[in-house]
């Protein structure tokens, strides 16, 4: 709503209270909610998520200009001031000693936890077990083996997390961008002692989420603060550093593949994937309980791939809980797509088969075959080699009900890898908004490539070492290639397109790098092994 008069009227009409929400008119996107008498808050919480505070000294902060109150909150300390900047500066001035986190202190220790998960006598899940993998591998002249790794990743939206909350004896009002308004309402009621019917969540437009706003820690901190200052509206804003170091990230993930080829074809494929349980971590926060049974997310994007390999097995191994984790764009598939398709590519090369033609030959469903044939036509595919120091790779992942195939062309320059062009074919059923579909697919490709190239969260002393974009750099505009998109309409039902173009991006890039350089990279981010220009 661009007209402040309309917003004031709508605010009064909706709330039936003395709270008046106003638009400043200064934001191009979203609504900058301002409530009369509002104060501003900032927090510093333990980066070892789940741990508390040993002690804190706020003597200096309490004397700083504009500071109204300093208070303890769950896992940390909050400052309330007359503007956000003063709250930021004051909370930085507090001397805090945090408790150690309830998980391994470093990434190095965490990788050992994943390695240990493979030692289990039986897997957590085995949702795909076609043919006789053990017999095929034992009789093979050569067994291809590989290990893959993907790191913790932050959501890192451009908009720092924030919420406006007012608590009175009669009601609670929360203005924030959220994907879980029902959970937020109930969690807030538990903090304030109100009935859930007295909590009103006004869901706002969001400046990015990617799964991050399936969590409500930031909003519940605002509720805690506002509950301690009833009658006073509180706007809490996280600093970028607080956001990056207190994210519930994508899980780190590891996979081990064994395979065999026969008569120039992929004959046996055995992939074991290990991760902590995303579902157990996230649902324990949202619902207070852990879903029973195996966690299919550990193998999602691997076990469900529509290929008819004669001997085909996918096993999931559940690691011990480590840093708390959450959904990240294309959950499960964002790592397993890399594992599954890169190992598929390795087997194609070992067989001497064309990587794209072999995928088409083994395609189990017509929509899968059609998207692979589409990117073959779009890219003019005649093989992975494009001449000296040039190559292209194919990536395919079936995720969120959508078959998506990508071909990426690269050039190996003296300064590093240059990504030249990306071809994408997806099948979402009927296309109702082709312009938005193209934008979503392109955005997913850039998101997937940027993270594959450059991004990771490395833990040290229970916290991520990276705390801002200077150390968590996505794809730059000058690196962004031309992206050509084609949408097919062979599926019976309409599907979403916000996530499916993400999983194939990383394997297509890694496979293209191999075609151009002969260097097989099995670990993300790729910059650890090769430069980009």
């Amino acid at each position: 709503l661009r007209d402040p008069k309309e917003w004031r009227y709508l605010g009064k009409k909706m709330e039936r209270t003395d709270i008046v929400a106003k638009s400043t008119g200064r934001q191009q996107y979203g609504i900058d909610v301002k409530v009369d008498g509002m104060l501003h808050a900032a927090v510093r919480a333990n980066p070892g998520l789940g741990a508390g505070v040993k002690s804190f000294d706020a003597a200096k902060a309490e004397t700083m200009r504009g500071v109204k109150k300093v208070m303890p909150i769950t896992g940390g300390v909050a400052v309330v001031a007359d503007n956000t900047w003063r709250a930021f500066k004051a909370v930085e001035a507090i001397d805090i000693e945090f408790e150690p986190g309830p998980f391994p202190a470093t990434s190095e220790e965490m990788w050992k936890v994943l390695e240990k998960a493979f030692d289990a006598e039986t897997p957590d899940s085995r949702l795909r077990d076609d043919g006789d993998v053990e017999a095929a591998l034992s009789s093979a002249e050569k067994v291809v083996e590989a290990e893959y790794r993907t790191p913790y990743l932050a959501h890192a939206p451009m908009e720092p997390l924030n919420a406006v909350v007012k608590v009175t004896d009669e009601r609670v009002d929360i203005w924030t961008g959220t994907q879980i308004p029902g959970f937020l309402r109930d969690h807030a009621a538990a903090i304030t002692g109100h009935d859930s019917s007295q909590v009103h969540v006004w869901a706002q437009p969001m400046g990015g989420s990617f799964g991050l706003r399936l969590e409500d820690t930031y909003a519940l901190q605002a509720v805690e603060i506002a509950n301690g200052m009833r009658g006073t509206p509180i706007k809490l804003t996280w600093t970028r550093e607080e956001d990056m170091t207190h994210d519930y990230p994508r899980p780190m993930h590891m996979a081990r593949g064994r395979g065999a080829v026969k008569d120039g074809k992929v004959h046996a494929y055995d992939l074991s994937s290990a991760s902590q349980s995303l579902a157990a971590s996230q649902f324990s926060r949202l619902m207070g309980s852990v879903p029973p049974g195996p966690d299919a997310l550990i193998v999602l994007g691997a076990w469900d791939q529509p290929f008819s390999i004669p001997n085909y097995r996918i096993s999931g191994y559940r690691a011990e809980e480590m840093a708390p984790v959450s959904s990240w764009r294309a959950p499960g598939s964002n790592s397993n797509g890399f594992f599954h398709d890169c190992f598929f590519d390795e087997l194609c090369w070992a067989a001497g088969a064309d990587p794209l033609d072999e995928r088409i030959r083994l395609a189990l469903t017509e929509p899968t075959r059609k998207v692979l044939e589409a990117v073959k036509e779009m890219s003019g595919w005649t093989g992975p080699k494009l001449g000296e120091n040039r190559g292209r790779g194919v990536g395919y992942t079936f995720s969120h009900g959508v078959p998506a195939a990508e071909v990426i062309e690269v050039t190996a320059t003296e300064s590093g890898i240059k990504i030249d062009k990306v071809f994408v074919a997806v099948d979402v059923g009927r296309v109702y908004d082709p312009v938005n579909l193209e934008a979503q697919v392109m955005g997913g490709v850039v998101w997937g490539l940027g993270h594959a190239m450059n991004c990771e969260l490395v833990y040290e002393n229970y916290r991520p070492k990276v705390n801002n974009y200077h150390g968590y750099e996505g794809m730059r505009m000058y690196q962004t290639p031309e992206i050509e998109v084609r949408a097919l309409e062979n599926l019976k039902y309409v599907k979403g397109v916000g996530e499916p173009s993400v999983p194939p991006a990383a394997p297509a890039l890694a496979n293209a790098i191999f075609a151009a350089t002969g260097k097989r990279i099995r670990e993300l981010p790729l910059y650890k092994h090769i430069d980009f220009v």
Side-chain angles (χ1 to χ4, degrees), residues 215-438:
E215 303 289 342
D216 57 9
T217 300
Y218 67 99
L220 297 181
Q221 288 177 341
V223 171
E224 273 195 79
I225 298 164
N227 193 47
M229 299 180 69
R230 289 200 172 192
T232 301
I234 300 294
K235 180 177 183 178
L236 170 66
T237 305
W238 274 11
T239 61
R240 175 65 61 200
E241 291 76 13
E242 194 74 12
D243 191 342
M244 192 75 79
T245 56
H246 292 78
D247 191 5
Y248 294 101
R250 179 191 82 172
M252 65 186 341
H253 216 128
M254 181 184 292
R256 291 174 177 171
R258 298 186 304 154
V261 298
K262 185 178 181 180
D263 300 327
K265 301 174 181 178
V266 176
H267 180 63
Y269 186 111
D270 184 23
L271 189 75
S272 297
S273 188
S275 178
Q276 66 189 96
S277 173
L278 186 160
S281 182
Q282 188 166 18
F283 280 99
S284 64
R285 291 187 297 276
L286 295 181
M287 303 174 61
S289 61
V290 177
D295 186 351
L297 283 171
I298 294 173
V299 291
L300 192 65
W303 80 268
D304 52 347
Q305 298 310 290
F307 294 103
S308 57
I309 300 170
N311 306 283
Y312 194 8
R313 183 169 68 189
I314 306 294
S315 306
Y317 290 84
R318 183 167 173 172
E320 297 175 3
E321 295 304 305
M322 298 186 285
V325 292
S326 188
S327 299
W328 190 92
R329 196 170 183 179
S333 303
N334 51 51
S335 283
N336 282 310
F338 175 69
F339 304 150
H340 187 277
D341 214 61
C342 284
F343 190 53
F344 203 142
D345 204 71
E346 292 202 44
L347 293 176
C348 290
W349 281 84
D354 181 280
L356 181 48
D357 287 342
E358 183 69 349
R359 286 170 171 83
I360 293 172
R361 184 185 74 83
L362 291 170
L364 192 60
T365 66
E366 191 67 12
T368 292
R369 184 177 297 107
K370 291 294 186 182
V371 295
L372 287 166
E373 290 173 344
V375 291
K376 181 177 182 177
E377 178 193 336
M378 293 163 68
S379 62
W381 182 280
T382 54
K385 294 288 189 179
L386 287 171
E388 188 175 359
N389 298 322
R390 296 196 68 230
R392 55 188 168 192
V394 58
Y396 171 90
T397 309
F398 177 79
S399 68
H400 293 77
V402 174
E406 300 177 18
V407 168
I408 295 181
E409 297 178 352
V410 303
T411 300
T413 73
E414 292 183 359
S415 301
I417 293 293
K418 179 180 182 297
I419 304 175
D420 299 314
K421 192 165 183 179
V422 180
F423 303 89
V424 190
V426 297
D427 193 336
V428 295
R430 186 167 183 176
V431 177
Y432 285 95
D433 187 341
V435 174
N436 190 45
L437 179 141
E438 184 180 54

Side-chain angles (χ1 to χ4, degrees), residues 462-528:
Y462 305 103
R463 70 183 66 196
K465 292 170 64 177
V466 171
N467 65 7
N468 212 317
Y469 286 128
H470 69 280
Y472 196 84
E473 187 175 328
M475 175 177 271
R476 295 291 187 175
M477 290 186 69
Y478 70 85
Q479 297 174 313
T480 305
E482 180 183 353
I483 303 172
E484 185 177 325
V485 178
R486 182 180 297 180
L488 281 63
E489 298 181 287
N490 296 312
L491 293 181
K492 183 177 181 181
Y493 302 105
V494 177
K495 299 291 183 178
V497 75
E499 296 172 282
S501 63
V502 175
L509 177 56
N511 295 337
I513 291 171
F514 176 76
T517 68
K519 187 173 185 177
R520 182 66 73 178
I521 304 175
R522 302 185 177 100
E523 178 186 20
L524 300 182
L526 298 167
Y527 86 88
K528 297 169 73 172

